[in-house]
Amino acid sequence: MTPVTVDELMELLHACRNAWDAPDRSGDPVDLYDHALQTAHLLRRSYPSDKELQVAGLVHDLGHLLSPGDDAGHADRAADAVRGLLGARVAGLVGLHVTAKRYLATVEPGRALSPQSALTMGLQGGVMTAQEVAAFERDPLCEAAVTLRHADDAGKVVGLDAGIMEDWRPVLELVAARAI
């Protein structure tokens, strides 16, 4: 489903409750709903004026809901789904959150990943070549994508209260209005 209104996007985000990054629930310890809220909350706290970055954190893993089990393609699937409603920058950041994981694993080889993230790393291309690193570093979204990735990695805490999804409706409406 490609949401064309904020209401449709909110329905998708609410459907993330009790949906998991791994269909058999062997993945990360929080469902996609809590993970979205935690990731967006962390970005809001650190980057209060960057609404697009916050929204990218909220929607970055929708691909797991739209195509369960597609670890390799979930970022592109989510980016494609939100591009029309939320704009090119949000979609670009969403699409790059896996690339940013690969980048960080390459430039910070001892960096810890969640067990699920480490497991899916190979399916997503593994560590980068020197050419891939250079190309990613030239991307104008590189820095923001790395920021999103850090929040993505940190937003997996069982029991953390990061608010409710409805709190994000005005931000989604703002970003969607700017994307027109």
Side-chain angles (χ1 to χ4, degrees), residues 3 14 27 29 32 49 52 63 70 120 141 157 170:
H14 281 291
L32 295 174
S49 64
E52 291 175 331
D70 183 11
T120 60
L141 295 177
V157 179

Side-chain angles (χ1 to χ4, degrees), residues 23-46:
D24 65 0
R25 294 185 62 171
S26 63
D28 289 323
V30 296
D31 65 12
L32 295 174
Y33 182 90
D34 286 337
H35 178 56
L37 287 172
Q38 289 180 28
T39 303
H41 173 77
L42 290 166
L43 292 165
R44 176 186 272 172
R45 190 171 64 192
S46 298

